[in-house]
């Protein structure tokens, strides 16, 4: 392999990262309510799973509140459970 020419690497594509926006700060929400289905739907994927904190941009405390509110709303039949 000493005489073979070196392969040129293609430069890595540049990723434009948008800063995460905390929806609660943007909407001026202090408490999460399980009856506020419109806001809770933004934290659920199209398959019905709760989106991760990395995706939502929430603080750990807010993410826990959202998860509990979604679970309560599911129990009250306001939101669907995850589909298989």
């Amino acid at each position: 392999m000493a005489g073979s020419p070196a392969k040129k690497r293609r430069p890595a594509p540049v990723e434009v990262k948008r800063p995460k926006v905390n929806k609660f700060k943007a909407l001026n929400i202090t408490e999460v309510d399980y009856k506020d289905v419109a806001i809770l739907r933004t934290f659920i994927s199209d398959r019905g799973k709760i989106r991760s904190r990395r995706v939502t941009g929430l603080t750990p405390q807010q993410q826990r509140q959202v998860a509990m509110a979604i679970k309560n709303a599911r129990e009250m039949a306001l939101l669907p459970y995850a589909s298989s």
Side-chain angles (χ1 to χ4, degrees):
M1 289 269 185
S4 64
K7 288 187 176 182
K8 290 187 178 181
R9 282 189 154 179
R10 190 180 308 165
V14 179
E15 291 184 28
V16 178
K17 290 190 176 183
R18 292 181 291 160
K20 297 268 192 297
V21 177
N22 190 330
K23 286 190 179 181
F24 287 169
K25 274 190 176 179
L27 296 173
N28 232 359
I29 297 173
T30 55
E31 288 251 347
V32 186
D33 189 18
Y34 74 93
K35 293 173 275 189
D36 198 353
V37 180
I39 290 176
L40 291 179
R41 277 191 194 275
T42 62
F43 299 106
I44 297 179
S45 70
D46 56 340
R47 291 184 171 262
K49 295 184 176 183
I50 300 173
R51 293 189 190 273
S52 68
R53 191 179 145 249
R54 193 180 53 174
V55 175
T56 60
L58 298 176
T59 65
Q61 294 85 2
Q62 290 170 334
Q63 184 68 24
R64 275 186 238 116
Q65 288 177 352
V66 166
M68 285 305 300
I70 289 173
K71 290 173 185 179
N72 286 336
R74 285 175 175 167
E75 283 289 317
M76 300 293 170
L78 299 174
L79 289 174
Y81 282 93
S83 60
S84 54

